[in-house]
Amino acid sequence: MVRLNKNGGPRNPEKIDRMCALFTDLSNKDMKRDLYIVAHVIRIGRMLLNDSKKGPPHLHYRRPYGCAVLSIMDVLQSISEIKEEKDFVLKVYT
């Protein structure tokens, strides 16, 4: 889980090196299947349409905001072509 601030940046910039995942139990058979990285975006905050100061300030709700998907095959193909690190952008569908 990664927590972001309202501008989309990391909430704790000093922990940015911990915002990663390592999958060690994927076999060659698994890698030939259609695998995807799926990101569920959850908004935590007030239940108002705008962020005005009306209502109780201590109530925060978790609610779905959007979802993003990235194919693992696309990642593997582009990494094998250039042999270096690359950033991937996931489009969030709300």
Side-chain angles (χ1 to χ4, degrees):
M1 184 171 81
V2 177
R3 290 186 179 259
L4 303 176
N5 61 22
K6 65 181 179 180
N7 298 326
R11 186 178 229 178
N12 298 327
E14 64 275 358
K15 295 182 181 178
I16 198 163
D17 57 332
R18 296 184 191 173
M19 293 175 27
C20 61
L22 176 64
F23 301 96
T24 59
D25 58 348
L26 296 175
S27 67
N28 288 335
K29 187 178 177 182
D30 291 330
M31 297 305 286
K32 292 178 182 171
R33 294 182 181 166
D34 288 335
L35 294 176
Y36 299 93
I37 295 174
V38 179
H40 296 274
V41 181
I42 306 291
R43 183 185 190 280
I44 299 174
R46 297 170 178 256
M47 191 60 87
L48 302 173
L49 291 176
N50 57 15
D51 288 331
S52 67
K53 301 299 180 194
K54 294 180 182 177
H58 62 281
L59 293 178
H60 291 283
Y61 300 96
R62 292 185 67 209
R63 58 188 188 273
Y65 180 77
C67 186
V69 178
L70 178 65
S71 171
I72 296 287
M73 289 303 252
D74 294 343
V75 172
L76 292 176
Q77 287 174 355
S78 64
I79 288 176
S80 65
E81 291 171 2
I82 57 174
K83 305 282 186 199
E84 63 183 38
E85 288 187 19
K86 183 178 177 184
D87 291 333
F88 294 92
V89 177
L90 283 76
K91 182 175 180 179
V92 176
Y93 294 93
T94 56

